Amino acid sequence: MKLSDFDFDLPEGRIATRPARPRSSAKLLVAVNGGIADHIVRDLPQILRPGDRLVLNDTKVIPARLTGTRSRATTSGDGVAKIEVTLLEPQADGSWAALAKPLRKLRMGEEVVFSDHLSAEVAALAEGQVLLRFNLTGEDFDAALAEAGAMPLPPYIERLRAPDAADREDYQTVWARQPGAVAAPTASLHFDAPLLAALKEASVQFTHVTLHVGAGTFLPVKVDDVTTHKMHAERGEITAEAAAQINATRAAGGRVIPVGTTALRLIESAAAKDGTLQAWQGETDIFIYPGYRFRITDGLMTNFHLPKSTLLMLVSALMGQDRIRDIYDHAINHDYRFFSYGDASLLIPAP
């Protein structure tokens, strides 16, 4: 299975740099029973069945992008360097793994100042990353980070524009409650309060799980044989209540439909061979590509993904490679907007 099998041409103008307003006014491609239909996300209550269960990722994106300065005594007196940092994940000792550029301008023990209240010591340098030990912890750190940080927009958006104040709300789901992600579960960005109320009225059910999306979601696949690609691990949790809800839906004949590839990857990581779930907590590096046998997923709501990406491989595993090519051709030919702030699809594979 070659990387080139998952390539396609996308005009740059199709990359959405802002979300639809209101959220639920985004376009929705519905692929079911071999057909393709064009809808709007707010049509979901009429498309889904009573008893269907949407699995929602309740991770909360932190303002993980920081800009600071490193000062160093030099003979010329000019030892100041601008350092850009993207936080990746907290460590057991309270420090943070992060990306920094230019990494070559940092040394062990140096301090990077991000604001009047927030600074960090370089605790380690290894494998293209930096370990930062901040001067604050707990709620004090959260408050200082909220003040100094910016939302970590995907690189394909940042190439077109800089993050701004609007992204604080736009790049966060309306049900976000567990801080820790450095990327949003973007299919969930299409939901707003009126849509959730309409879905509830239509007897569509909801279950919240948590997968803290890492920066690894944007890492390119660099191997030609995609089966040898190694995924970046991400932290997640499924509570006993969430597992029981999903098991009850399956037992009643309802469909389990994750909203976003992150929720799908989490429940597939935790599912037993018979498709049942138990409470689960840990890290997952599950890589889903064609040939994977889904244990619990009956469908998927997701955005349109990058060429040659692991997420395109995942939807190809769910729907079949030829079917996904047809779906993406339709999306391109019918002016769908792509990637994190783009439009959505509802993918229901043939039984």
Side-chain angles (χ1 to χ4, degrees):
M1 196 176 304
K2 301 298 184 183
L3 185 59
S4 58
D5 295 337
F6 303 94
D7 196 12
F8 65 93
D9 293 323
L10 180 70
E12 187 170 279
R14 295 296 179 81
I15 300 174
T17 59
R18 298 285 182 185
R21 302 187 191 281
R23 292 175 181 236
S24 57
S25 67
K27 296 172 72 171
L28 176 69
L29 183 156
V30 178
V32 62
N33 295 329
I36 296 174
D38 300 311
H39 288 270
I40 303 298
V41 171
R42 62 173 168 262
D43 297 336
L44 274 172
Q46 290 76 52
I47 297 169
L48 297 175
R49 302 172 185 166
D52 282 345
R53 183 171 297 278
L54 298 180
V55 183
L56 312 176
N57 186 359
D58 65 6
T59 188
K60 187 173 183 178
V61 183
I62 62 172
R65 190 67 50 82
L66 291 163
T67 300
T69 56
R70 181 272 293 147
S71 299
R72 180 187 301 163
T74 65
T75 54
S76 64
D78 183 18
V80 177
K82 179 181 177 181
I83 304 295
E84 295 182 2
V85 165
T86 300
L87 302 181
L88 297 179
E89 57 183 351
Q91 307 299 295
D93 64 358
S95 61
W96 278 81
L99 300 174
K101 61 179 184 180
L103 188 63
R104 58 183 173 77
K105 291 193 175 182
L106 291 177
R107 297 175 186 169
M108 285 277 295
E110 291 188 322
E111 182 185 44
V112 182
V113 177
F114 301 107
S115 72
D116 291 341
H117 306 291
L118 189 64
S119 63
E121 176 190 350
V122 177
L125 293 162
E127 298 181 357
Q129 295 185 11
V130 60
L131 198 64
L132 297 176
R133 185 170 292 113
F134 284 91
N135 63 318
L136 300 173
T137 59
E139 293 182 357
D140 292 336
F141 171 75
D142 294 340
L145 182 64
E147 178 184 358
M151 295 302 270
L153 292 184
Y156 45 78
I157 294 179
E158 286 202 333
R159 282 196 294 267
L160 301 175
R161 70 165 180 87
D164 58 28
D167 295 306
R168 293 272 183 157
E169 180 177 348
D170 290 343
Y171 200 58
Q172 199 78 269
T173 67
V174 296
W175 54 71
R177 62 186 181 188
Q178 305 288 350
V182 299
T186 54
S188 299
L189 299 179
H190 297 296
F191 289 76
D192 51 25
L195 176 58
L196 291 172
L199 286 165
K200 184 177 181 181
E201 181 69 19
S203 298
V204 174
Q205 301 171 311
F206 310 102
T207 289
H208 290 89
V209 297
T210 306
L211 184 71
H212 293 308
V213 192
T217 190
F218 302 122
L219 292 177
V221 178
K222 296 182 178 180
V223 292
D224 187 48
D225 179 358
V226 301
T227 63
T228 64
H229 175 71
K230 177 66 175 175
M231 293 286 286
H232 179 79
E234 295 166 319
R235 296 173 293 121
E237 180 179 10
I238 299 172
T239 65
E241 179 183 10
Q245 291 172 350
I246 291 171
N247 289 337
T249 292
R250 289 179 60 81
R255 297 182 300 184
V256 175
I257 302 175
V259 176
T261 56
T262 59
L264 183 153
R265 292 178 63 245
L266 180 61
I267 63 174
E268 288 293 325
S269 296
K273 290 183 179 179
D274 63 357
T276 59
L277 277 177
Q278 302 291 331
W280 186 91
Q281 186 174 17
E283 289 191 341
T284 177
D285 60 358
I286 187 172
F287 178 25
I288 297 175
Y289 54 86
Y292 178 84
R293 183 174 180 179
F294 290 86
R295 296 179 174 180
I296 197 166
T297 299
D298 297 306
L300 171 68
M301 182 173 169
T302 186
N303 287 13
F304 295 95
H305 304 295
L306 276 70
K308 299 182 178 180
S309 65
T310 60
L311 303 183
L312 184 60
M313 296 169 197
L314 184 153
V315 295
S316 297
L318 182 68
M319 301 297 289
Q321 288 176 260
D322 291 341
R323 178 82 162 122
I324 282 295
R325 289 191 193 100
D326 290 343
I327 290 168
Y328 273 59
D329 285 345
H330 181 96
I332 293 169
N333 293 331
H334 289 76
D335 298 325
Y336 280 75
R337 300 160 73 238
F338 275 60
F339 306 160
S340 292
Y341 275 152
D343 296 314
S345 64
L346 178 63
L347 307 177
I348 308 292

